Amino acid sequence: MDKPQIILHSQKSVNYTVFDVKWIPTSAKFISLGNHARGTGALDIFEITHGDIALIAQHEKPTAFKCGTFGASPSRERRHLATGNFDGYIQVWDLEKLEKPIYSVKGHTEIINAIDAIGGLGVGEGAPEIATASRDGRVHIWDTRQADLPVASMEPAEGETKRDCWAVCFGNSFNSSERVVCAGYDNGDVKLFDLRTMSIRWETNIKNGVCCLEFDRKDIEMNKLVATTLESKIHVFDMRTQHVEKGFASVVEKAHNSTVWIGRHLPQNRDVFMTCGGSGSYYLWKYNYPENRVKTQTDKTEVGVAGTLTLLQNIGLSTQPASAFDWSPDKPGLACTSAFDQTVRVLITTKLNSI
Amino acid sequence: MTTEYERKLIDMRSQMQENNAYLDDYMKDLNSWTDDMKKKEETVKKSTNSNSTPADLPPIRNFVEPPRPKKKSQNKTKPKTSSSIRSFDYNAWSKFDVDAECERIDNEQKVENDGGDEEEEDDDEDEDDEQWQEEVLKKKAEHYKDWGNHYFKQKSYAQAIENYTKAIECNPTSHIYFANRAQCQLFEERYGACEADCTLAIQLDKNYIKAYYRRALARIGLGKIDQAREDLEYVISREPSNTDAKNKLAEVNKNDEIKRLGRIYPLQDKPIDKRSTKPLKRIEIQEIDTSIISNSTITKKKNIIIEEIETTEVPTPSEPIPPPPPSQPLPPPSAPSTQSQKPSPKSIPIPTAIPTTGFQFKRDWANLNNQLDKQSIYFNQIPPTTYKTIFSTGLDSSVFSRILLLWSMKTNIDEHLINSMYEIRQTPRFNTQLSFLNNDDKQLLKTTLDRLQIDSSLSKEKIQKILNDYKID
């Protein structure tokens, strides 16, 4: 009973399919992005009031939204939301003026499956950049200062079959030049692309389509990478030691009895993360480091050692898969989530500081 | 006395109370927090009205700096041309200062030049855009070249070629990309493509020696030895210290010589230490007209007179006919054999060499072409004791009938005839030959035998045997 508790604080029903929810930095509000039945995009702003979620603003846009992020927002005060929609457009919106986007480009030919941003909000160093992953197999890196063309892109070679890219995330951004982008594909490929040398640093295949990728922290030297996949698997890679042939060490955990849709690290503790499954279940995990994270082999090369995962708590909140989950960066333990049953929920996780 | 179970119950209840208390605290905290956040937001919104763009951001990734647009210098208006002095205004002319006017004109020209420069700047701007695009392409090309080099080091030549090709697409003016691609193609043994690439590289830069060397290697692969030699010699002339080129040239020359002249091996019959250490000498072989070989005459040509059929043994040299002594080209025999006065081509000389094998006999006999007189002379030359070897495969029936004719033609019986008859009967299948004689031949044989019987002054035993064996009836 002294394990952390996951408690449903409040929930709200909406009349559209919610694909993403994100906390607005420095506020008690969160944004939800989704798809109306009539095919238009929904952008709603909710606020937590005493014990309840209140709808503050509602916006409708011509095309349905798939994903969004605040990561490239220039400052905590001026909040810019970068979104990807079903038509392949990347748009950046100023929350104060949501009538027109401040940056818009048709970056992909097909739906943008995932988006991630880095360099904003005063977190980390380096230029603010947005990464988008699309069904057309490409990963593009955008800088809002450059219109029309991506700053960098990872594309399949000509003539090769294009695999859907389902997940993308930034990492290793501990100084202004270093940055990596990790992309996950529907066939289980995970590719780590180094933006400083513009080359692939590591690639592997984890056998099942990758639904979500996240580094435990974007703004430090890469430490851990969580990959959640189809067939209820969760992989955690130890990214500190790369072996020439074996790559990174990893630990695999099976949970949820269904596709694991999302994995999100707690901003206040990078060894704790929540995974959300296709059965509407939420599992809270803790990663335990091994005694020695590095092992020297007989041929004098170093190989990493993966640790273990302990399940702290789990809860089942709905019958439908969870489409999004976001920890609040300002309040430890507060999280918002959405599911395909057209509801948004706010969760509270207790006793996180005693882990 | 609380039991375990009760203790556990109590524990659980306390835990739950703790949790609830915790939760309540948390909720209150949350509420106060949300109020705080709202206030914070208000203040933040107000303060963001003063927008300050953070200018310290690092530059955009992979960015090629476009040229700054040149500031157009202000168009200086041309100074007004002073009104020209009228020609009839003599007072004004007397006050005219030539030097000042000259200076002014000089200054005007300078200004005009500046104005012209401005116009050029406009063009430059357009050019700058193009220049910038070119720069971008050049950077791209360099990038592809680096990738190509990387693959080259890893020996993935096909991928290296791809990358060099992309580099060439971006920047077709660099000889290095062509030369590098040529080197990859050498490893892939695509000699034709390599040669073409080297040629292009040379066109772009005549002084790039590596391209010449690689082209030479490609040409060797293609079999264009002479052109390869040219290239190698050029490389050596430009880079005398290039040992690779020298070695290659020596190799090429050696291979060429082997092809042309063939390898020369000594005969292996002697053990090595007893073999001569002298170098092998090449001897020129002259080809002669092959039709002459069969009628070869050797050193001494004998003029054989046909009128007499003599059984005198014609002294013939004992050398066998083939092979001809190598150093003597054989003169055409038609000159010495003038005994046959007929200029007809059928004047075949009688072979003066005695045949020792059946083949030689058959050949000569066939060449004599049924000319009875020559055949008789020829036949008489052959010593009867050699009949066994000559006719070791048996007499031919046409030959036998001819021999019979010759015997019958003989005017007198002599040793030679007796001996020849004696020896002939010892050839294989003689009896079958006898039985297959036709009537004319039988008649001839009969006459010969009769004569033998009559003139039986010589070796009677032999005659007896002959008579016995040549019985036909």
Side-chain angles (χ1 to χ4, degrees), chain A residues 1-2 7 9 26-27 29 47 50 77 79 126-127 129 145 151 195 198 331-334 348 350-351, chain B residues 15 19 22-23 26-27 29-31 33-35 37-38 41 44-45 48 57-62:
Chain A
M1 293 305 272
D2 46 350
I7 297 155
H9 172 268
T26 9
S27 71
K29 297 191 209 151
E47 187 170 25
H50 298 250
E77 292 75 40
R79 284 79 66 99
E129 282 173 348
R145 295 172 288 173
V151 170
L195 287 177
M198 298 298 286
K331 184 89 183 120
L334 188 65
I348 295 173
T350 60
K351 294 196 191 158
Chain B
Q15 277 278 322
N19 282 347
Y22 192 94
L23 193 57
Y26 191 90
M27 293 305 290
D29 194 27
L30 189 61
N31 290 334
W33 173 77
T34 50
D35 295 332
M37 291 309 291
K38 280 183 195 166
E41 256 193 286
V44 152
K45 270 188 196 172
T48 52
L57 289 177
I60 298 175
R61 201 177 290 280
N62 297 336

Side-chain angles (χ1 to χ4, degrees), chain A residues 1-48:
Chain A
M1 293 305 272
D2 46 350
K3 291 194 294 184
Q5 304 283 318
I6 307 173
I7 297 155
L8 175 66
H9 172 268
S10 50
Q11 69 180 40
K12 190 158 188 85
S13 261
V14 291
N15 60 352
Y16 54 88
T17 318
V18 187
F19 282 108
D20 206 359
V21 283
K22 283 285 186 307
W23 286 100
I24 300 177
T26 9
S27 71
K29 297 191 209 151
F30 62 91
I31 234 177
S32 77
L33 297 169
N35 179 12
H36 280 120
R38 46 191 176 269
T40 55
L43 199 156
D44 283 0
I45 306 180
F46 296 93
E47 187 170 25
I48 306 179

Side-chain angles (χ1 to χ4, degrees), chain B residues 105-117:
Chain B
I105 289 173
D106 285 339
N107 289 340
E108 260 186 35
Q109 279 187 346
K110 267 192 200 166
V111 167
E112 272 180 24
N113 283 341
D114 288 344
D117 282 343

